[in-house]
Amino acid sequence: MNDRTIRQAFQALDQFKIELPSWGFADTGTRFGKFFQDAAASTTEDKFHDAGVVHRLTGCCPTIAVHVLWDFAPGQNPKDVAKLAKKHGVKIGAINPNVFQDQEYKFGSFCSPNARARKTAMDHTLDSIELGQAVGSQFLSMWLADGTNYPGQDSIYRRKHDLTEAFRKIAAVMAKKWKGATLLVEYKPFEPGFYHTDIQDWGMAYLLAKACGKNAKVLVDTGHHLPNCNIEHIVAILLDENMLGGFHFNDRKYADDDLTLGSIDPYAVFRIFDQIHQHMFDTGRDPKLAYMVDQSHNLKPKLEAMVQTVDEAQKQFARAALVDRKALAMAQKRMDVVGAERVLRDAFETDVRDLLADWRAGHDLPMDPVEELRASGIIEQLSKQRSAERKARGEVRGGSFA
Ligand code: PSV
Ligand code: MN
């Protein structure tokens, strides 16, 4: 690495911010059960506290995404929730309406054949828009569980039409009431709909976002693709069309596994960031993407898993900044396949740990945030404190190992 490339990587790290999900700090489970962690966050304040810890350790997580039903109590003043976040050194990021949990949504939300369910979903989303505006957020992230389980169960056409009309309305209300905010349209090919999903892939998310107008873009959740899908290709196309809004980062081996970023395939993360850096290099523009984590930590201690993910994201982002773009362009022009690939691999195989440590030292951050967290005793202290608090609240839950 020479001085120029180090400067490049430092600049990239200065720009790189990644949002944490409030739900990544709380107890979650699989379809088969929940495994509890004593240090897991129970309250919204616990989640903000934990996000604050991650931000203090890494310096690049100033915002936390919230799920409306999980993080706001009914009737609560949203400004109080924003104040709570501020108290812990973070701000509220993307607002996630929840139109998948209530019994009413058994056959879908905006796509349900039942007009009452469609209206409930719309009312909740309009409330979420008010919330987002009140807390100063910039994003409304929409993920729907809508889909069907059996051929013939419902009209795919009718569902698409109702969905498009609903999203148009949401975007129009946002444009009027929530200036500057973006509607992020998330897709997922299956689960819980196992025959068809109404927003199944980037093509459908793109169509919906296009139908909405300028304030809607596509959100790519890395776990929401069929096996072997070339995600960086999707990223490149969406960037080129100015239709990429942001990411939900996680890793997977089989399906939407929600594993920590890069735990299975770090090169895939690098290749996504590479396309983003390439686009910035080609256009000279920053696409201002909303980088977010969307993980559910079942076995790893939640705080450790989050810091590990952020560290990995910074590593891969810095590596992608090291790609010698001119050498790559020349190799491509020469049709030198091996040469071009070697340029990418050179960057990917660079050990950036010292570079990251130097960047952190320059920002008064711990050089190894995972190690710092493990040595700090914070998790042990939270385990004791939160167990006592749960006991005092009379909360009963199963025993836990950690
Ligand atoms: C759905 O699988 C998803 O990726 C959506 O982003 C949800 O909001 C999130 O996970 C939490 O359930
Ligand atoms: Mn997601």
Side-chain angles (χ1 to χ4, degrees):
M1 267 182 284
N2 56 38
D3 283 356
R4 189 184 52 81
T5 48
I6 292 174
R7 258 202 321 275
Q8 239 165 263
F10 274 21
Q11 271 168 14
L13 288 168
D14 284 342
Q15 302 301 319
F16 185 71
K17 303 278 177 280
I18 188 161
E19 182 161 306
L20 307 171
S22 68
W23 55 96
F25 297 108
D27 277 321
T28 47
T30 68
R31 286 195 285 149
F32 308 101
K34 244 187 188 183
F35 297 107
F36 300 107
Q37 292 185 20
D38 286 340
S42 287
T43 64
T44 301
E45 177 154 20
D46 289 349
K47 296 173 197 171
F48 291 165
H49 166 274
D50 291 1
V53 170
V54 178
H55 183 41
R56 274 196 299 285
L57 289 167
T58 60
C60 70
C61 307
T63 55
I64 175 164
V66 287
H67 239 287
V68 175
L69 289 190
W70 304 338
D71 297 318
F72 292 82
Q76 188 175 21
N77 183 346
K79 291 214 180 341
D80 290 341
V81 183
K83 272 191 211 145
L84 206 55
K86 195 170 171 207
K87 177 179 153 194
H88 292 285
V90 287
K91 279 189 177 161
I92 294 185
I95 305 291
N96 291 251
N98 184 316
V99 290
F100 51 83
Q101 187 175 290
D102 292 353
Q103 290 302 311
E104 215 170 337
Y105 301 133
K106 183 169 179 182
F107 295 104
S109 61
F110 295 111
C111 304
S112 172
N114 181 332
R116 214 184 55 211
R118 297 202 296 273
K119 183 173 180 318
T120 307
M122 182 56 78
D123 290 347
H124 174 69
T125 307
L126 296 180
D127 287 349
S128 304
I129 290 173
E130 304 258 322
L131 265 179
Q133 197 269 338
V135 300
S137 161
Q138 290 296 300
F139 296 100
L140 188 80
S141 290
M142 290 300 295
W143 173 73
L144 310 183
D146 290 49
T148 61
N149 267 12
Y150 296 97
Q153 182 185 320
D154 198 1
S155 160
I156 291 175
Y157 300 109
R158 200 271 313 147
R159 293 176 75 97
K160 175 174 177 274
H161 298 160
D162 279 335
L163 177 58
T164 309
E165 199 185 302
F167 270 49
R168 273 206 182 114
K169 179 167 175 188
I170 294 164
V173 172
M174 284 177 69
K176 223 166 151 191
K177 292 198 169 174
W178 192 4
K179 298 261 178 278
T182 305
L183 169 63
L184 296 173
V185 185
E186 183 171 355
Y187 58 90
K188 184 170 177 175
F190 68 96
E191 199 198 22
F194 290 111
Y195 168 62
H196 109 285
T197 294
D198 289 288
I199 312 179
Q200 78 279 19
D201 59 18
W202 74 271
M204 187 61 207
Y206 172 94
L207 283 179
L208 280 172
K210 272 281 180 203
C212 287
K214 283 205 176 100
N215 61 342
K217 297 227 160 119
V218 177
L219 185 146
V220 174
D221 182 314
T222 49
H224 292 188
H225 299 89
L226 296 174
N228 302 326
C229 176
N230 183 339
I231 301 175
E232 65 268 25
H233 183 190
I234 296 172
V235 167
I237 303 296
L238 288 173
L239 274 174
D240 198 46
E241 294 292 328
N242 193 24
M243 287 304 283
L244 183 62
F247 288 91
H248 273 178
F249 280 117
N250 48 63
D251 210 343
R252 48 81 72 84
K253 178 75 181 151
Y254 299 104
D256 185 20
D257 306 341
D258 274 338
L259 303 179
T260 50
L261 187 69
S263 53
I264 305 293
D265 190 353
Y267 191 37
V269 186
F270 168 85
R271 295 195 309 266
I272 289 174
F273 285 143
D274 169 59
Q275 285 305 328
I276 296 168
H277 281 286
Q278 183 65 51
H279 188 261
M280 291 197 283
F281 181 82
D282 291 344
T283 62
R285 270 187 292 112
D286 179 350
K288 303 245 183 295
L289 303 173
Y291 296 116
M292 301 180 256
V293 176
D294 182 3
Q295 290 175 176
S296 153
H297 311 120
N298 282 313
L299 300 181
K300 289 180 175 175
K302 287 157 202 300
L303 268 165
E304 278 186 19
M306 205 61 92
V307 177
Q308 191 185 30
T309 280
V310 174
D311 178 53
E312 181 66 21
Q314 285 183 307
K315 262 185 207 150
Q316 301 306 345
F317 197 77
R319 281 174 167 162
L322 295 178
V323 172
D324 186 338
R325 302 278 155 203
K326 286 191 183 139
L328 182 63
M330 277 177 341
Q332 288 172 349
K333 212 167 169 194
R334 284 197 310 273
M335 288 164 278
D336 177 359
V337 181
V338 170
E341 190 187 7
R342 278 168 61 90
V343 173
L344 281 195
R345 298 294 301 205
D346 268 352
F348 175 63
E349 282 159 14
T350 303
D351 186 345
V352 290
R353 282 176 295 185
D354 287 346
L355 180 149
L356 251 180
D358 286 349
W359 178 84
R360 286 169 176 151
H363 289 77
D364 286 331
L365 294 164
M367 300 220 261
D368 181 343
V370 176
E371 200 41 54
E372 177 82 8
L373 174 66
R374 289 167 72 94
S376 70
I378 292 175
I379 296 177
E380 293 74 9
Q381 181 242 314
L382 285 174
S383 294
K384 281 198 200 115
Q385 182 193 320
R386 290 180 177 167
S387 298
E389 285 167 358
R390 282 188 192 98
K391 207 167 161 197
R393 285 197 297 264
E395 262 176 55
V396 184
R397 56 178 214 175
S400 78
F401 284 113

